[in-house]
Short mmCIF file of all heavy atoms in Angstrom, two decimals:
data_model
loop_
_atom_site.label_atom_id
_atom_site.label_comp_id
_atom_site.label_asym_id
_atom_site.label_seq_id
_atom_site.Cartn_x
_atom_site.Cartn_y
_atom_site.Cartn_z
N ASP X 254 -92.87 -105.78 73.08
CA ASP X 254 -92.49 -105.46 71.71
C ASP X 254 -93.62 -105.74 70.72
O ASP X 254 -93.40 -105.74 69.50
CB ASP X 254 -91.24 -106.24 71.30
CG ASP X 254 -91.44 -107.75 71.41
OD1 ASP X 254 -92.41 -108.18 72.07
OD2 ASP X 254 -90.61 -108.50 70.86
N LYS X 255 -94.83 -105.96 71.23
CA LYS X 255 -95.98 -106.27 70.38
C LYS X 255 -96.86 -105.03 70.19
O LYS X 255 -96.66 -103.99 70.82
CB LYS X 255 -96.80 -107.41 70.98
CG LYS X 255 -96.04 -108.69 71.20
CD LYS X 255 -95.57 -109.32 69.89
CE LYS X 255 -94.89 -110.66 70.13
NZ LYS X 255 -94.43 -111.28 68.88
N SER X 256 -97.86 -105.16 69.35
CA SER X 256 -98.79 -104.06 69.11
C SER X 256 -99.77 -103.93 70.27
O SER X 256 -99.97 -104.89 71.04
CB SER X 256 -99.57 -104.32 67.82
OG SER X 256 -100.47 -105.40 68.01
N PRO X 257 -100.42 -102.77 70.44
CA PRO X 257 -101.43 -102.63 71.48
C PRO X 257 -102.54 -103.68 71.40
O PRO X 257 -103.02 -104.16 72.43
CB PRO X 257 -101.97 -101.22 71.26
CG PRO X 257 -100.79 -100.47 70.72
CD PRO X 257 -100.11 -101.46 69.81
N ALA X 258 -102.93 -104.05 70.18
CA ALA X 258 -103.98 -105.07 70.03
C ALA X 258 -103.50 -106.41 70.58
O ALA X 258 -104.26 -107.13 71.25
CB ALA X 258 -104.37 -105.20 68.56
N GLU X 259 -102.25 -106.76 70.30
CA GLU X 259 -101.70 -108.03 70.81
C GLU X 259 -101.54 -107.97 72.32
O GLU X 259 -101.74 -108.98 73.02
CB GLU X 259 -100.36 -108.32 70.14
CG GLU X 259 -100.49 -108.66 68.66
CD GLU X 259 -99.13 -108.72 67.96
OE1 GLU X 259 -98.37 -107.74 68.05
OE2 GLU X 259 -98.84 -109.75 67.32
N ARG X 260 -101.20 -106.81 72.85
CA ARG X 260 -101.08 -106.69 74.31
C ARG X 260 -102.43 -106.84 74.98
O ARG X 260 -102.54 -107.47 76.03
CB ARG X 260 -100.48 -105.33 74.65
CG ARG X 260 -99.04 -105.16 74.21
CD ARG X 260 -98.62 -103.71 74.33
NE ARG X 260 -97.24 -103.50 73.94
CZ ARG X 260 -96.69 -102.31 73.83
NH1 ARG X 260 -97.40 -101.21 74.09
NH2 ARG X 260 -95.43 -102.18 73.47
N LYS X 261 -103.45 -106.25 74.39
CA LYS X 261 -104.79 -106.40 74.96
C LYS X 261 -105.22 -107.87 74.95
O LYS X 261 -105.79 -108.37 75.93
CB LYS X 261 -105.81 -105.56 74.20
CG LYS X 261 -107.22 -105.61 74.82
CD LYS X 261 -108.20 -104.73 74.07
CE LYS X 261 -109.55 -104.72 74.80
NZ LYS X 261 -110.16 -106.07 74.89
N ALA X 262 -104.95 -108.56 73.85
CA ALA X 262 -105.29 -109.98 73.77
C ALA X 262 -104.55 -110.77 74.85
O ALA X 262 -105.11 -111.68 75.47
CB ALA X 262 -104.96 -110.52 72.38
N TRP X 263 -103.28 -110.44 75.08
CA TRP X 263 -102.50 -111.11 76.12
C TRP X 263 -103.10 -110.84 77.49
O TRP X 263 -103.29 -111.78 78.28
CB TRP X 263 -101.06 -110.60 76.07
CG TRP X 263 -100.25 -110.95 77.28
CD1 TRP X 263 -99.70 -112.17 77.57
CD2 TRP X 263 -99.91 -110.08 78.37
NE1 TRP X 263 -99.03 -112.11 78.78
CE2 TRP X 263 -99.15 -110.85 79.29
CE3 TRP X 263 -100.18 -108.75 78.66
CZ2 TRP X 263 -98.67 -110.31 80.48
CZ3 TRP X 263 -99.69 -108.21 79.85
CH2 TRP X 263 -98.94 -108.99 80.74
N TRP X 264 -103.43 -109.59 77.77
CA TRP X 264 -103.99 -109.26 79.09
C TRP X 264 -105.33 -109.96 79.29
O TRP X 264 -105.60 -110.50 80.37
CB TRP X 264 -104.15 -107.74 79.22
CG TRP X 264 -104.67 -107.33 80.57
CD1 TRP X 264 -105.94 -106.98 80.89
CD2 TRP X 264 -103.91 -107.28 81.79
NE1 TRP X 264 -106.03 -106.70 82.23
CE2 TRP X 264 -104.81 -106.87 82.80
CE3 TRP X 264 -102.58 -107.53 82.11
CZ2 TRP X 264 -104.39 -106.71 84.12
CZ3 TRP X 264 -102.18 -107.36 83.43
CH2 TRP X 264 -103.07 -106.97 84.41
N ASP X 265 -106.16 -109.98 78.26
CA ASP X 265 -107.47 -110.63 78.36
C ASP X 265 -107.33 -112.13 78.61
O ASP X 265 -108.23 -112.76 79.18
CB ASP X 265 -108.28 -110.40 77.08
CG ASP X 265 -108.74 -108.96 76.93
OD1 ASP X 265 -108.70 -108.21 77.94
OD2 ASP X 265 -109.13 -108.57 75.81
N SER X 266 -106.21 -112.72 78.18
CA SER X 266 -106.03 -114.17 78.32
C SER X 266 -105.57 -114.58 79.72
O SER X 266 -105.62 -115.77 80.06
CB SER X 266 -105.00 -114.67 77.30
OG SER X 266 -103.68 -114.26 77.65
N LEU X 267 -105.14 -113.64 80.54
CA LEU X 267 -104.61 -113.96 81.86
C LEU X 267 -105.73 -114.26 82.85
O LEU X 267 -106.83 -113.72 82.75
CB LEU X 267 -103.76 -112.80 82.40
CG LEU X 267 -102.53 -112.39 81.59
CD1 LEU X 267 -101.86 -111.19 82.23
CD2 LEU X 267 -101.55 -113.55 81.47
N THR X 268 -105.42 -115.10 83.83
CA THR X 268 -106.36 -115.33 84.92
C THR X 268 -106.31 -114.14 85.88
O THR X 268 -105.39 -113.32 85.85
CB THR X 268 -106.00 -116.61 85.70
OG1 THR X 268 -104.72 -116.42 86.34
CG2 THR X 268 -105.90 -117.81 84.76
N ALA X 269 -107.30 -114.07 86.77
CA ALA X 269 -107.33 -112.99 87.75
C ALA X 269 -106.09 -113.04 88.63
O ALA X 269 -105.52 -111.99 88.98
CB ALA X 269 -108.60 -113.09 88.60
N GLU X 270 -105.64 -114.24 88.99
CA GLU X 270 -104.46 -114.38 89.84
C GLU X 270 -103.21 -113.91 89.12
O GLU X 270 -102.34 -113.24 89.70
CB GLU X 270 -104.29 -115.84 90.28
CG GLU X 270 -105.35 -116.34 91.24
CD GLU X 270 -106.68 -116.63 90.57
OE1 GLU X 270 -106.72 -116.72 89.31
OE2 GLU X 270 -107.70 -116.75 91.28
N GLN X 271 -103.10 -114.23 87.83
CA GLN X 271 -101.94 -113.79 87.06
C GLN X 271 -101.91 -112.27 86.94
O GLN X 271 -100.86 -111.63 87.07
CB GLN X 271 -101.96 -114.44 85.68
CG GLN X 271 -101.64 -115.92 85.67
CD GLN X 271 -101.84 -116.55 84.31
OE1 GLN X 271 -102.80 -116.21 83.59
NE2 GLN X 271 -100.97 -117.46 83.93
N ARG X 272 -103.06 -111.68 86.71
CA ARG X 272 -103.12 -110.22 86.61
C ARG X 272 -102.69 -109.56 87.91
O ARG X 272 -101.93 -108.57 87.90
CB ARG X 272 -104.54 -109.78 86.24
CG ARG X 272 -104.98 -110.17 84.85
CD ARG X 272 -106.42 -109.75 84.60
NE ARG X 272 -106.89 -110.20 83.29
CZ ARG X 272 -108.13 -110.04 82.85
NH1 ARG X 272 -109.03 -109.46 83.64
NH2 ARG X 272 -108.47 -110.46 81.66
N GLN X 273 -103.15 -110.10 89.02
CA GLN X 273 -102.78 -109.53 90.32
C GLN X 273 -101.27 -109.60 90.53
O GLN X 273 -100.67 -108.67 91.06
CB GLN X 273 -103.51 -110.27 91.44
CG GLN X 273 -105.01 -109.98 91.51
CD GLN X 273 -105.71 -110.85 92.55
OE1 GLN X 273 -105.08 -111.62 93.26
NE2 GLN X 273 -107.02 -110.72 92.62
N GLU X 274 -100.68 -110.70 90.10
CA GLU X 274 -99.24 -110.85 90.29
C GLU X 274 -98.45 -109.86 89.43
O GLU X 274 -97.48 -109.25 89.89
CB GLU X 274 -98.81 -112.28 89.99
CG GLU X 274 -97.39 -112.58 90.45
CD GLU X 274 -97.11 -114.06 90.58
OE1 GLU X 274 -97.94 -114.88 90.12
OE2 GLU X 274 -96.05 -114.39 91.13
N TYR X 275 -98.87 -109.68 88.21
CA TYR X 275 -98.22 -108.69 87.36
C TYR X 275 -98.38 -107.28 87.94
O TYR X 275 -97.44 -106.49 87.95
CB TYR X 275 -98.81 -108.72 85.95
CG TYR X 275 -98.19 -109.77 85.05
CD1 TYR X 275 -98.92 -110.89 84.67
CD2 TYR X 275 -96.89 -109.63 84.58
CE1 TYR X 275 -98.36 -111.86 83.85
CE2 TYR X 275 -96.32 -110.60 83.76
CZ TYR X 275 -97.06 -111.71 83.40
OH TYR X 275 -96.50 -112.67 82.59
N MET X 276 -99.57 -107.00 88.44
CA MET X 276 -99.84 -105.66 88.99
C MET X 276 -98.99 -105.40 90.22
O MET X 276 -98.51 -104.28 90.43
CB MET X 276 -101.31 -105.54 89.35
CG MET X 276 -102.25 -105.62 88.17
SD MET X 276 -102.48 -104.04 87.37
CE MET X 276 -103.66 -103.31 88.48
N ALA X 277 -98.79 -106.42 91.05
CA ALA X 277 -98.03 -106.23 92.28
C ALA X 277 -96.53 -106.10 92.01
O ALA X 277 -95.84 -105.32 92.65
CB ALA X 277 -98.28 -107.40 93.24
N THR X 278 -96.03 -106.87 91.05
CA THR X 278 -94.59 -106.91 90.82
C THR X 278 -94.13 -105.91 89.78
O THR X 278 -93.06 -105.31 89.92
CB THR X 278 -94.18 -108.33 90.36
OG1 THR X 278 -94.72 -109.29 91.26
CG2 THR X 278 -92.66 -108.46 90.34
N TYR X 279 -94.92 -105.71 88.75
CA TYR X 279 -94.52 -104.83 87.67
C TYR X 279 -95.56 -103.74 87.40
O TYR X 279 -96.04 -103.58 86.26
CB TYR X 279 -94.27 -105.63 86.39
CG TYR X 279 -93.12 -106.59 86.49
CD1 TYR X 279 -93.33 -107.96 86.55
CD2 TYR X 279 -91.81 -106.12 86.56
CE1 TYR X 279 -92.26 -108.85 86.65
CE2 TYR X 279 -90.74 -107.00 86.66
CZ TYR X 279 -90.98 -108.36 86.71
OH TYR X 279 -89.92 -109.23 86.81
N PRO X 280 -95.94 -102.97 88.41
CA PRO X 280 -96.91 -101.89 88.15
C PRO X 280 -96.37 -100.87 87.17
O PRO X 280 -97.13 -100.25 86.43
CB PRO X 280 -97.14 -101.28 89.54
CG PRO X 280 -95.89 -101.59 90.31
CD PRO X 280 -95.47 -102.95 89.82
N ASP X 281 -95.04 -100.70 87.15
CA ASP X 281 -94.44 -99.74 86.23
C ASP X 281 -94.58 -100.20 84.78
O ASP X 281 -94.72 -99.37 83.87
CB ASP X 281 -92.96 -99.53 86.57
CG ASP X 281 -92.16 -100.82 86.56
OD1 ASP X 281 -92.71 -101.88 86.92
OD2 ASP X 281 -90.97 -100.79 86.20
N VAL X 282 -94.54 -101.50 84.55
CA VAL X 282 -94.66 -102.05 83.20
C VAL X 282 -96.12 -102.06 82.76
O VAL X 282 -96.47 -101.54 81.69
CB VAL X 282 -94.07 -103.47 83.12
CG1 VAL X 282 -94.28 -104.06 81.74
CG2 VAL X 282 -92.59 -103.44 83.47
N ILE X 283 -96.99 -102.64 83.58
CA ILE X 283 -98.40 -102.76 83.23
C ILE X 283 -99.04 -101.38 83.11
O ILE X 283 -99.86 -101.12 82.22
CB ILE X 283 -99.15 -103.61 84.27
CG1 ILE X 283 -98.52 -105.01 84.37
CG2 ILE X 283 -100.63 -103.72 83.92
CD1 ILE X 283 -98.46 -105.77 83.06
N GLY X 284 -98.67 -100.46 84.01
CA GLY X 284 -99.27 -99.14 84.00
C GLY X 284 -98.92 -98.32 82.78
O GLY X 284 -99.62 -97.36 82.46
N ASN X 285 -97.85 -98.66 82.09
CA ASN X 285 -97.41 -97.89 80.92
C ASN X 285 -97.53 -98.70 79.63
O ASN X 285 -96.93 -98.32 78.62
CB ASN X 285 -95.96 -97.44 81.12
CG ASN X 285 -95.83 -96.38 82.20
OD1 ASN X 285 -96.13 -95.22 81.98
ND2 ASN X 285 -95.38 -96.78 83.39
N LEU X 286 -98.33 -99.77 79.67
CA LEU X 286 -98.43 -100.66 78.52
C LEU X 286 -99.66 -100.31 77.69
O LEU X 286 -100.80 -100.59 78.09
CB LEU X 286 -98.50 -102.12 79.00
CG LEU X 286 -98.12 -103.21 78.01
CD1 LEU X 286 -96.66 -103.07 77.57
CD2 LEU X 286 -98.34 -104.59 78.62
N ASP X 287 -99.44 -99.68 76.54
CA ASP X 287 -100.55 -99.32 75.66
C ASP X 287 -101.25 -100.58 75.18
O ASP X 287 -100.61 -101.52 74.69
CB ASP X 287 -100.03 -98.53 74.46
CG ASP X 287 -99.36 -97.23 74.89
OD1 ASP X 287 -99.90 -96.57 75.79
OD2 ASP X 287 -98.30 -96.88 74.33
N GLY X 288 -102.57 -100.59 75.31
CA GLY X 288 -103.37 -101.77 74.97
C GLY X 288 -103.98 -102.41 76.20
O GLY X 288 -104.93 -103.19 76.09
N VAL X 289 -103.47 -102.09 77.38
CA VAL X 289 -104.06 -102.54 78.64
C VAL X 289 -105.16 -101.56 79.01
O VAL X 289 -105.01 -100.34 78.85
CB VAL X 289 -102.98 -102.61 79.75
CG1 VAL X 289 -103.62 -102.85 81.11
CG2 VAL X 289 -101.99 -103.71 79.44
N PRO X 290 -106.31 -102.04 79.51
CA PRO X 290 -107.44 -101.15 79.82
C PRO X 290 -107.06 -100.01 80.77
O PRO X 290 -106.19 -100.15 81.63
CB PRO X 290 -108.46 -102.09 80.47
CG PRO X 290 -108.15 -103.43 79.87
CD PRO X 290 -106.65 -103.45 79.71
N ALA X 291 -107.73 -98.88 80.60
CA ALA X 291 -107.41 -97.67 81.36
C ALA X 291 -107.55 -97.88 82.87
O ALA X 291 -106.72 -97.40 83.65
CB ALA X 291 -108.31 -96.52 80.90
N ALA X 292 -108.61 -98.57 83.30
CA ALA X 292 -108.82 -98.77 84.74
C ALA X 292 -107.68 -99.59 85.34
O ALA X 292 -107.26 -99.35 86.48
CB ALA X 292 -110.16 -99.46 84.98
N VAL X 293 -107.17 -100.55 84.59
CA VAL X 293 -106.05 -101.37 85.06
C VAL X 293 -104.78 -100.52 85.14
O VAL X 293 -104.04 -100.57 86.14
CB VAL X 293 -105.83 -102.57 84.12
CG1 VAL X 293 -104.58 -103.36 84.53
CG2 VAL X 293 -107.05 -103.49 84.13
N ARG X 294 -104.53 -99.75 84.10
CA ARG X 294 -103.34 -98.88 84.09
C ARG X 294 -103.40 -97.88 85.26
O ARG X 294 -102.38 -97.61 85.90
CB ARG X 294 -103.24 -98.14 82.76
CG ARG X 294 -102.95 -99.06 81.59
CD ARG X 294 -102.90 -98.31 80.27
NE ARG X 294 -101.74 -97.41 80.18
CZ ARG X 294 -101.32 -96.88 79.04
NH1 ARG X 294 -101.95 -97.13 77.90
NH2 ARG X 294 -100.27 -96.09 79.02
N ASP X 295 -104.58 -97.35 85.49
CA ASP X 295 -104.74 -96.39 86.58
C ASP X 295 -104.39 -97.02 87.92
O ASP X 295 -103.64 -96.45 88.72
CB ASP X 295 -106.18 -95.87 86.60
CG ASP X 295 -106.44 -94.92 87.75
OD1 ASP X 295 -105.80 -93.85 87.80
OD2 ASP X 295 -107.27 -95.25 88.61
N GLU X 296 -104.89 -98.22 88.17
CA GLU X 296 -104.61 -98.90 89.44
C GLU X 296 -103.12 -99.20 89.58
O GLU X 296 -102.52 -98.97 90.64
CB GLU X 296 -105.42 -100.19 89.54
CG GLU X 296 -105.21 -100.94 90.85
CD GLU X 296 -106.02 -102.22 90.93
OE1 GLU X 296 -106.96 -102.40 90.13
OE2 GLU X 296 -105.70 -103.06 91.81
N ALA X 297 -102.52 -99.70 88.50
CA ALA X 297 -101.09 -100.02 88.55
C ALA X 297 -100.25 -98.76 88.77
O ALA X 297 -99.30 -98.75 89.56
CB ALA X 297 -100.67 -100.72 87.26
N ASN X 298 -100.61 -97.69 88.08
CA ASN X 298 -99.82 -96.46 88.19
C ASN X 298 -99.99 -95.77 89.54
O ASN X 298 -99.06 -95.12 90.02
CB ASN X 298 -100.20 -95.50 87.06
CG ASN X 298 -99.57 -95.90 85.74
OD1 ASN X 298 -98.41 -96.29 85.69
ND2 ASN X 298 -100.35 -95.84 84.67
N ARG X 299 -101.15 -95.90 90.16
CA ARG X 299 -101.32 -95.33 91.49
C ARG X 299 -100.41 -96.05 92.49
O ARG X 299 -99.85 -95.43 93.38
CB ARG X 299 -102.78 -95.40 91.92
CG ARG X 299 -103.66 -94.38 91.21
CD ARG X 299 -105.13 -94.54 91.53
NE ARG X 299 -105.96 -93.69 90.71
CZ ARG X 299 -106.54 -92.55 91.11
NH1 ARG X 299 -106.36 -92.13 92.36
NH2 ARG X 299 -107.28 -91.83 90.30
N ASP X 300 -100.28 -97.37 92.32
CA ASP X 300 -99.33 -98.10 93.17
C ASP X 300 -97.90 -97.69 92.84
O ASP X 300 -97.08 -97.45 93.74
CB ASP X 300 -99.49 -99.61 92.96
CG ASP X 300 -100.77 -100.15 93.59
OD1 ASP X 300 -101.36 -99.46 94.43
OD2 ASP X 300 -101.19 -101.27 93.23
N ASN X 301 -97.60 -97.61 91.55
CA ASN X 301 -96.24 -97.26 91.15
C ASN X 301 -95.89 -95.83 91.54
O ASN X 301 -94.72 -95.52 91.81
CB ASN X 301 -96.07 -97.44 89.64
CG ASN X 301 -94.61 -97.35 89.21
OD1 ASN X 301 -93.73 -97.88 89.87
ND2 ASN X 301 -94.36 -96.67 88.12
N LEU X 302 -96.89 -94.96 91.59
CA LEU X 302 -96.65 -93.58 92.00
C LEU X 302 -96.05 -93.54 93.40
O LEU X 302 -95.09 -92.81 93.67
CB LEU X 302 -97.96 -92.79 91.96
CG LEU X 302 -97.90 -91.34 92.45
CD1 LEU X 302 -96.97 -90.51 91.57
CD2 LEU X 302 -99.31 -90.74 92.47
#
Side-chain angles (χ1 to χ4, degrees):
D254 59 344
K255 302 295 184 180
S256 69
E259 291 171 307
R260 293 168 179 173
K261 184 178 185 299
W263 166 77
W264 182 259
D265 290 344
S266 72
L267 299 177
T268 65
E270 291 76 15
Q271 288 173 321
R272 292 177 184 176
Q273 289 174 3
E274 192 161 11
Y275 276 110
M276 295 275 280
T278 310
Y279 295 109
D281 57 326
V282 176
I283 302 303
N285 290 283
L286 201 62
D287 299 318
V289 170
V293 175
R294 293 178 68 165
D295 177 63
E296 181 180 344
N298 283 318
R299 286 174 188 256
D300 288 343
N301 191 42
L302 176 63

